[in-house]
Amino acid sequence: FRGAVVIAPGNHDWLSAASPYRQPIWPENVRIFLGRGMERLTLPELGCTVYGAAFTAPEEPELVWYAFRFSYPEGQRLYGLHGFDDQARWQLTVYDDSRPTPAWFGRGITYQIFPDRFCRLSLPDPTGLVGNRWVHENWNDQPVWAPDPDGEVRNRDFFGGSLNGITAKLDDLAALGVTVLYLNPIFESASNHRYNTADYLRIDPMLGTEEDFRRLCREAKQRGIRVILDGVFNHTGSQSRYFNADGFYPGVGAAQSTDSPYFNWFSFHPWPTDYDAWWGIMTLPAVQENEPDYRDFIIRGQDSVVRHWLRAGASGWRLDVADELPDGFIAEIRTAMEETAPDSFLLGEVWEDATTKVAYSQRRRYLLGHELHGVMNYPFRTALIAYLRGGDADDFRETLEALRENYPPEAFLSLMNFLGTHDTPRILTVLGADNVPDSKADRAVYCLSPAQRQIGLERLRLAALILFTFPGAPTVYYGDEAAMEGWEDPLNRAGYPWEQEDTDLKAHFAELARFRRSFPALQAGVLHWIWTSGPLLIFARELDGQLLTTVVNAADVSQALSLPWSAPPARDLLTGQRFIPTDNAISLTLPPRSGLLLQTDLP
């Protein structure tokens, strides 16, 4: 690592860069001074002095913070991330790159499916299955959102989507440009979201069988599509065969006997009615991930859960609530995956900067080379929505540039970028609504007005343009490309609107996916920020002489600009319009809420 700072005008007696190790704040007793190794170069023609230093990073992967220290006759000052600030330092992420990151995820296009709500081939019979389930006969019904008489939302209403339904739509997904399917949980469970796993080694019967899953993976692979599964390893369901609170399963669960083989998986105080549960939700008893028998079952055993489903055809895992899984647990999953399927991908649910994430008073080590390959990029979604709804483009740049500075390059290119997920309101609703209704009852019946929907669609087209041209894996939550509406869970989990899609929007997504797959620069090219101010966002991707430039005007009025352009003439891939530079610039007039994707080949 090399750091440098330019001092202008004049000269200074000395300058040192300092790096605290493993500490977010500079303790006085942990400091590495680089004054002796400073290089000094005076440039009188520029009226400035340049100082530089070389720093050897620690061998162990870790975070290092650094700043420049100035000494004046009147005292010392530190120059860091935000200028002269005693607290804000630059971050250096020291990581191990000896274990390669599979490139197929970051270069591909991911489609997230909530299995119960994607495609139903027949009406299933829930009789005899775990949980008091029932099935909507009408596919277009609204999911049940209101609490039951006990004040709980139990998520026992099903629509009957299945694995065979997904297989039947693989040609549609391939036409959309999809290369990766991310499936929300598919294992046996009492609820429609299936995050309260009942049996990790059995496909939920309403979704199909293990052979149905294997066939889905085989046929997807024939179309160049891989499958990633959702691993919910922090908690199980209270009705699971491991806890078995209601005695549904024939074996003895932890809630039934202290002699249960699963008893040590859970933490009781006292047994059997008081136990650790995820966020205090008693239907989700938390497991003790450090229990050796549990690790054997999930990870270590030759037919462990992680290994079994990789051998069945899965190409990776997404770890639910990764911040609640111990680092060692995640590291063992990574090792087991590399041993079982060397090109498999490990993704984590992390809502913040994954390099500085602190959970349970521990700074997490997700992206230092031994755990996750990539994470879900919630900061991307938050910053993009703020920009498209009237924010400053430079705030978007600042958010994403901070991640690029902090993340290893492989991890930055492997981010799961998205506009929405099963945990967020539908993106069209967010971009079109003037405000959020106060009550859930009001949100449940809410629909965008024609004018709001039009604005939302225009903004969504821009959001998709940015999503598909930015570094990372563009990810589409099922139905967003079809213009589905809805506020939060479960209003964002309705059935896919087959034969009722917004065909123009879906074609726009498919076209952007085609560009992404056609131009390597959009998959792995270097990111250049060209202009980020107010409503104008302009960035480029460059690789091997290929240059793709994304130009976006998020304003409600037209914007005229002169874009510096020393390259050959450009063509807008969206309209086919050609732009010939004059005096090393391209003159553009962007209508309200519009964008361009300029393509040219560099000499």
Side-chain angles (χ1 to χ4, degrees), residues 182 216 409 451 544:
Y182 156 44
L216 168 61
D544 296 334

Side-chain angles (χ1 to χ4, degrees), residues 9-81:
N11 209 331
H12 295 269
D13 290 337
W14 62 273
L15 172 70
S16 66
S19 299
Y21 179 42
R22 294 184 178 177
Q23 296 291 335
I25 304 299
W26 245 7
E28 290 301 317
N29 61 342
V30 182
R31 185 173 298 168
I32 303 172
F33 286 99
L34 304 178
R36 293 181 181 178
M38 294 300 296
E39 301 172 2
R40 172 173 164 175
L41 177 63
T42 301
L43 302 175
E45 68 277 11
L46 298 180
C48 66
T49 301
V50 178
Y51 293 85
F55 169 60
T56 301
E59 292 186 7
E60 180 185 357
E62 190 52 272
L63 300 187
V64 173
W65 285 265
Y66 66 95
F68 293 94
R69 180 183 303 279
F70 294 88
S71 178
Y72 299 93
E74 61 273 17
Q76 297 181 355
R77 298 183 70 187
L78 288 180
Y79 187 88
L81 181 62

